[in-house]
Amino acid sequence: MVSAVTCGPDDLIGDVAARADANGCVVVNEHEIVLGRLGPKELAAPPNLTAEAVMQPGPATVRANEPLDELLSRMEQHNVLVIVVTTPEGRLLGVVRGAGNEQRV
């Protein structure tokens, strides 16, 4: 698990795109609760739009106690490059990058 690039729902896409990595950005509130995710497609939206306006709401998440080998296997089976890791309350802990995604870190 690695830390994730984050942004708030009111942040402008132009600002977020400048600091996001190749895997996008996790949209969180002031308590670090995950609200959504911005992938490359969303980051290409007009720069004056907000993260909330274009985010993928309620992204799939896993818990930190998920066995890593099983998680990576499932991610590979479903062609998932990045998954968000949260507490049971939805607070962001980080992201796991799948196999074949190391070069995008």
Side-chain angles (χ1 to χ4, degrees):
M1 180 171 57
V2 297
S3 62
V5 175
T6 62
C7 63
D10 296 326
D11 290 354
L12 295 177
I13 292 300
D15 296 334
V16 176
R19 69 176 187 268
D21 64 19
N23 295 303
C25 179
V26 180
V27 183
V28 296
N29 68 13
E30 64 276 4
H31 303 290
E32 294 292 306
I33 302 297
V34 174
L35 304 175
R37 184 174 176 277
L38 300 172
K41 177 183 168 190
E42 292 78 21
L43 291 170
N48 62 328
L49 294 178
T50 64
E52 185 175 34
V54 299
M55 72 180 183
Q56 302 167 22
T61 64
V62 296
R63 304 295 171 257
N65 64 349
E66 178 89 19
L68 185 58
D69 289 339
E70 293 174 22
L71 175 60
L72 291 173
S73 177
R74 280 199 333 268
M75 289 173 70
E76 185 174 1
Q77 287 175 337
H78 297 285
N79 199 30
V80 173
L81 297 177
V82 178
I83 193 144
V84 179
V85 183
T86 65
T87 66
E89 296 78 29
R91 189 175 62 83
L92 178 65
L93 297 174
V95 295
V96 172
R97 290 168 169 52
N101 198 23
E102 298 83 8
Q103 71 279 5
R104 298 180 67 195
V105 174

